[in-house]
Amino acid sequence: MHMDQTTEAIAHFIGLFSQAIEDARLRLDYADFKALQETPLEPNELLNVRINIVSPYALEGFSPRIEYAPPPIDRFDAHVIVHVRFDPIPLELDGQSAVPALMGGSTPFMAADTEVFAEYQPLGSLAFYLKQQAYLEDNDYLSIGDHGLRLNPVGDADSALANLIEAASSLQPFADLEAPGSAAEIGDFIMHAPDLADAFIDTLGEGDGVFVLRGETIEGKFVNGQQVEDLPVLDAHLPTKIAEVESPDADATDFSTHSTMNVEAGANLLVNEAILVNDWYGAPVLAVAGDYVHINVISQLNVWSDNDTTGEALNGWKSLTETPTKAFNTATIRTIDNPPPAGVQNAQGDPVFPAHWQVSRIDGDLMLTNWIKQVSFVEDNDITIMSASGGGTEIVLGDNTVINASSLAELGNYYDLIIVGGNVYHANIISQTNILLDDDIVGTVGDFQTEGTATLSTSGNLLWNEASITQYGTVSFEEMPPSYLEALNQLAESTGAAPQSLLSEMDFAGVPTIRVLYISGDVVDLQYVSQTNVLGDADQVALAKSQTAENADASWDISTGSNALINQAAIVDGGVNSTTYIAGSVYSDELLIQAELISHDTGLYTKSADTLISEAVVFLSDDLVAPGEGDAGQNPSDASIPDGGTADVMQTMLG
């Protein structure tokens, strides 16, 4: 509706006035709301909710230790199955019953007067290179108690460990080898292995502590240079602190008010484990145009230093039954008789001779290589100075576990005849090395003494090398007959029908059709395992008197040893009893090396424990001495011991 100017002005004023009144009313309502919001709430009764929880799991006590029991490596004692039995389904082709040759089956069947063979693919080359390395640096410094002292490191543990590694390198000829690549390089590597053995043997002298056994064949079980009927069992020699599976309450620290100090600075476990099963190819009959080279090597070495020094006040602490450091080199080389399955006979019981052959060709070399290298390197050089407190104290500075493990099984095909146009190179090599530095120093400061029970263990280490090479199937070598030479020459040109002279050989009596693998080049078969454990566990422990409490009845249990270094390796060659016909020459070399080196002077400690501890201890005042006082070049206000870094003490052992 149209309004005049006066009427419109009055109406506009009335609208504005109404809005102002509404705003005032809202402001009054907001004030009441705000006052109500700030009023404190009156507490109501607490809600009581009862929850019943039922769990099938029971909580156990704290278990900081990782228990590891290496599986046995003699798990392949069972008979190796090399043939798979199958019953082919008869087929009807043009009204004739036939048996197809399926996946290695070799009986041909007739279809419209034409011989039909099932095709099958030959084996290919296989190369597996594995390098497992585990490094751990656990050099702890611990100061506990109100003794007001600091302990500086004594000697150079890195240099002492490096000296042991250098000494070991001259006694282990097969540890630091460069992995070959091509088939030609692997063949050269196998041919060069006897030269390494010759050079190593030439450097040995009397009193080196090295046992060497070499010949065309080696058969038997050996422990530390002695042939034995039964091998020792690892579980029976593991340090107690590593072998036992403790219950939560067994030998636990007394955390009551009685002063108890339990210190574990050792009990490190290093394990390398490798299992290789080589069942890639095989046949009851081999024909080789060139040479046949076979090499088996097991080389084992244990090197350690366990020269401990303790203060005169602790001479009565060491148990008279403390186990010394023990080292074992155990090796097994054996051949297990494994005859092939019996052949087919006719109704009169006479063997059935084949009428055909079925050939699978490899134009070139057949290479089968497994190269495994395992290295565990641990430094656990702990430094601690302590005085007894009023209750139970559990100190664990070691108890480390390092494991490298690999397991490989290679399963292929078996033939009735393998013909090689070149040479055969076959080698199994196991190299095992353990290096341990366990030179500990345990001493006292001032007039430290205790009337409580006290035990001290600084040894009880185990170095264990265990290796086995097992061949299933015996091998006999004979000069190549003309029938095999004819077959080899024919396959070098083409396939064609099988020579009748070959089909009539007694080697194939009972074989319906000869399954043949022809390799124009060389067969290169190398199985190599290298295992190295290195542990530096040179612990330094000083015991001091508390400044505020006597604790003369404190119980002490100190352990700085009980380490275990374990290498376990097994190589299993699957196969059957076979006859190998050679046109060239045969070279067979088997070598066993078992050595140990005990170092009596690493140069780490040159004085008595009391003298070294007194020289290494720094006395601090209540407010700590100022910089420049105390030891030259060090700041006693810093209670930690600076880490000077770890040199590459492994040197050539990591090549």
Side-chain angles (χ1 to χ4, degrees):
M1 180 180 68
H2 178 71
M3 298 180 185
D4 57 63
Q5 184 175 5
T6 302
T7 304
E8 185 176 357
I10 294 172
H12 182 69
F13 172 77
I14 294 173
L16 292 176
F17 180 75
S18 298
Q19 292 180 358
I21 293 174
E22 190 66 25
D23 289 343
R25 291 173 179 172
L26 292 175
R27 189 176 295 109
L28 293 174
D29 293 340
Y30 175 76
D32 295 339
F33 169 76
K34 187 64 176 178
L36 181 62
Q37 185 182 30
E38 295 179 354
T39 303
L41 298 176
E42 295 182 1
N44 296 325
E45 293 183 359
L46 295 177
L47 181 62
N48 185 13
V49 179
R50 294 187 178 181
I51 301 176
N52 295 326
I53 299 177
V54 179
S55 173
Y57 304 102
L59 295 179
E60 298 181 353
F62 174 63
S63 179
R65 175 176 299 169
I66 299 175
E67 301 295 344
Y68 175 78
I73 65 172
D74 56 354
R75 63 186 66 178
F76 298 103
D77 287 340
H79 183 77
V80 174
I81 299 176
V82 298
H83 284 74
V84 178
R85 178 182 177 87
F86 70 96
D87 296 320
I89 303 174
L91 300 180
E92 297 292 335
L93 297 178
D94 296 335
Q96 298 181 359
S97 175
V99 178
L102 301 174
M103 293 302 294
S106 53
T107 302
F109 58 87
M110 304 298 295
D113 298 330
T114 301
E115 293 183 352
V116 180
F117 292 87
E119 295 182 358
Y120 65 101
Q121 296 296 322
L123 292 172
S125 294
L126 178 64
F128 179 78
Y129 292 82
L130 174 65
K131 188 172 185 178
Q132 295 178 313
Q133 295 180 335
Y135 294 88
L136 174 62
E137 184 176 340
D138 185 32
N139 299 324
D140 301 316
Y141 178 83
L142 174 66
S143 176
I144 186 171
D146 58 348
H147 44 70
L149 306 172
R150 190 185 74 224
L151 180 64
N152 290 329
V154 176
D156 189 348
D158 283 348
S159 297
L161 183 59
N163 292 336
L164 291 179
I165 294 174
E166 183 179 1
S169 63
S170 62
L171 296 176
Q172 184 54 281
F174 294 95
D176 182 29
L177 301 179
E178 183 178 354
S182 64
E185 291 177 353
I186 297 174
D188 292 341
F189 175 88
I190 295 176
M191 292 297 296
H192 184 56
D195 297 333
L196 290 177
D198 293 336
F200 172 73
I201 294 174
D202 291 340
T203 62
L204 297 178
E206 295 184 3
D208 287 339
V210 180
F211 168 78
V212 177
L213 179 62
R214 192 175 187 181
E216 292 186 3
T217 59
I218 296 177
E219 186 81 15
K221 302 175 182 179
F222 302 86
V223 178
N224 295 341
Q226 299 292 329
Q227 188 166 4
V228 297
E229 293 294 331
D230 299 314
L231 295 175
V233 180
L234 173 61
D235 291 344
H237 297 279
L238 281 173
T240 303
K241 291 180 178 293
I242 294 177
E244 66 185 4
V245 180
E246 299 179 342
S247 63
D249 298 328
D251 298 330
T253 300
D254 182 6
F255 290 103
S256 65
T257 58
H258 178 69
S259 181
T260 303
M261 303 292 292
N262 288 348
V263 183
E264 179 57 76
N268 298 289
L269 175 63
L270 284 67
V271 178
N272 290 318
E273 181 187 70
I275 300 174
L276 285 178
V277 180
N278 176 18
D279 202 11
W280 191 240
Y281 71 98
V285 183
L286 279 76
V288 181
D291 300 331
Y292 190 101
V293 179
H294 171 75
I295 297 173
N296 281 338
V297 175
I298 294 180
S299 181
Q300 300 173 313
L301 172 63
N302 287 318
V303 176
W304 80 90
S305 176
D306 189 13
N307 302 310
D308 305 313
T309 176
T310 59
E312 292 184 2
L314 307 178
N315 288 340
W317 287 27
K318 301 191 75 171
S319 173
L320 296 178
T321 59
E322 182 184 23
T323 304
T325 292
K326 297 182 294 184
F328 291 88
N329 288 318
T330 71
T332 303
I333 301 177
R334 59 179 175 174
T335 300
I336 299 177
D337 185 68
N338 189 29
V344 179
Q345 297 179 341
N346 57 21
Q348 290 74 32
D350 298 326
V352 176
F353 283 88
H356 309 275
W357 70 2
Q358 188 177 10
V359 179
S360 178
R361 299 179 61 94
I362 296 178
D363 294 320
D365 300 327
L366 175 62
M367 181 178 69
L368 177 61
T369 302
N370 292 304
W371 185 280
I372 296 179
K373 191 166 188 177
Q374 299 173 322
V375 177
S376 297
F377 180 77
V378 175
E379 275 196 333
D380 184 35
N381 303 314
D382 303 318
I383 301 174
T384 178
I385 181 169
M386 66 189 73
S387 60
S389 62
T393 303
E394 181 85 15
I395 301 172
V396 179
L397 303 174
D399 205 7
N400 300 292
T401 300
V402 173
I403 299 173
N404 290 317
S406 63
S407 178
L408 180 65
E410 294 169 345
L411 308 178
N413 295 333
Y414 272 70
Y415 302 86
D416 300 309
L417 170 64
I418 296 178
I419 299 178
V420 181
N423 304 310
V424 174
Y425 303 99
H426 179 219
N428 298 312
I429 299 176
I430 297 177
S431 173
Q432 297 176 319
T433 305
N434 286 318
I435 302 174
L436 170 65
L437 173 66
D438 187 39
D439 292 356
D440 304 315
I441 178 172
V442 184
T444 62
V445 179
D447 56 351
F448 169 86
Q449 60 182 347
T450 181
E451 299 175 358
T453 60
T455 59
L456 172 63
S457 174
T458 59
S459 189
N461 304 290
L462 174 66
L463 291 80
W464 183 277
N465 287 321
E466 181 178 351
S468 67
I469 297 176
T470 304
Q471 170 70 53
Y472 282 89
T474 60
V475 181
S476 60
F477 296 95
E478 298 182 13
E479 185 177 353
M480 185 177 295
S483 57
Y484 286 93
L485 186 60
E486 180 184 357
L488 191 151
N489 293 331
Q490 178 177 326
L491 290 175
E493 300 295 333
S494 61
T495 302
Q500 186 60 43
S501 59
L502 181 69
L503 299 176
S504 303
E505 283 286 348
M506 287 300 299
D507 291 329
F508 307 110
V511 178
T513 296
I514 306 175
R515 296 167 296 177
V516 180
L517 173 63
Y518 172 71
I519 304 167
S520 64
D522 297 332
V523 173
V524 181
D525 187 347
L526 172 62
Q527 313 298 312
Y528 175 84
V529 178
S530 174
Q531 299 175 319
T532 303
N533 285 317
V534 179
L535 173 60
D537 185 38
D539 302 314
Q540 301 175 18
V541 180
L543 309 181
K545 183 178 179 181
S546 173
Q547 291 181 337
T548 59
E550 291 293 339
N551 292 319
D553 61 344
S555 298
W556 292 82
D557 183 3
I558 300 175
S559 175
T560 60
S562 299
N563 301 289
L565 287 70
I566 300 172
N567 289 318
Q568 291 182 307
I571 296 177
V572 178
D573 270 336
V576 295
N577 297 351
S578 63
T579 301
T580 300
Y581 298 109
I582 297 292
S585 59
V586 177
Y587 178 82
S588 179
D589 191 2
E590 297 194 350
L591 175 66
L592 173 62
I593 301 174
Q594 292 182 327
E596 69 176 18
L597 174 62
I598 306 174
S599 175
H600 297 288
D601 183 16
T602 59
L604 185 57
Y605 307 132
T606 58
K607 301 178 181 179
S608 67
D610 292 332
T611 302
L612 291 173
I613 291 296
S614 62
E615 292 177 351
V617 167
V618 177
F619 293 82
L620 305 177
S621 63
D622 292 339
D623 55 352
L624 303 180
V625 295
E629 301 179 14
D631 288 354
Q634 295 193 25
N635 184 1
S637 63
D638 183 4
S640 64
I641 296 299
D643 188 357
T646 301
D648 182 14
V649 299
M650 289 299 292
Q651 299 178 1
T652 59
M653 298 300 292
L654 287 180

